[in-house]
Amino acid sequence: MPKKLLSTVESHQGVSRQARSGIHAVGGPARGRVNLEPIRHQSWEIINAILMDTDPEGSEIRNQLRRCLDKNQGNPERALLMHLMSMPGRSEPVIVD
């Protein structure tokens, strides 16, 4: 995983902000809340792998992922979900906030 890209994307997305969903994302889980750090870390690894690809045929896919990241700042796991659900043959997911 390229640390340079991860740091750039994290700083651009404001990772230190708490997720809008109200789920505790920094430190240990609060009472009745889930610690998202493991899934957040995995999401960044997947996002980095997609964005580091240089295949010209995948440029629109990378652009779509960037749009999802912009719409879901500080929530890479949600951005990745939105990206995956936007792929052809998928419908928009129902997400309850």
Side-chain angles (χ1 to χ4, degrees):
M1 166 181 61
K3 289 289 186 185
K4 184 176 181 181
L5 180 60
L6 179 63
S7 299
T8 302
V9 174
E10 284 179 344
S11 65
H12 175 69
Q13 297 302 323
V15 169
S16 63
R17 283 192 250 163
Q18 184 176 358
R20 279 184 262 157
S21 64
I23 297 174
H24 186 72
V26 178
R31 188 172 146 207
R33 297 189 179 185
V34 176
N35 180 4
L36 288 179
E37 286 307 309
I39 192 129
R40 183 159 286 166
H41 180 75
Q42 283 184 320
S43 296
W44 278 124
E45 288 181 348
I46 295 166
I47 289 167
N48 281 328
I50 295 168
L51 294 178
M52 291 300 295
D53 188 14
T54 58
D55 181 8
E57 291 183 20
S59 65
E60 185 50 42
I61 291 171
R62 291 187 297 275
N63 289 336
Q64 171 61 25
L65 177 55
R66 288 183 188 102
R67 286 190 293 272
C68 290
L69 286 167
D70 285 341
K71 289 180 183 177
N72 296 282
Q73 292 184 6
N75 290 298
E77 64 284 358
R78 178 174 256 180
L80 184 58
L81 173 63
M82 295 293 105
H83 171 71
L84 293 172
M85 295 303 294
S86 71
M87 294 291 95
R90 296 285 183 184
S91 61
E92 287 288 321
V94 176
I95 297 182
V96 179
D97 282 326

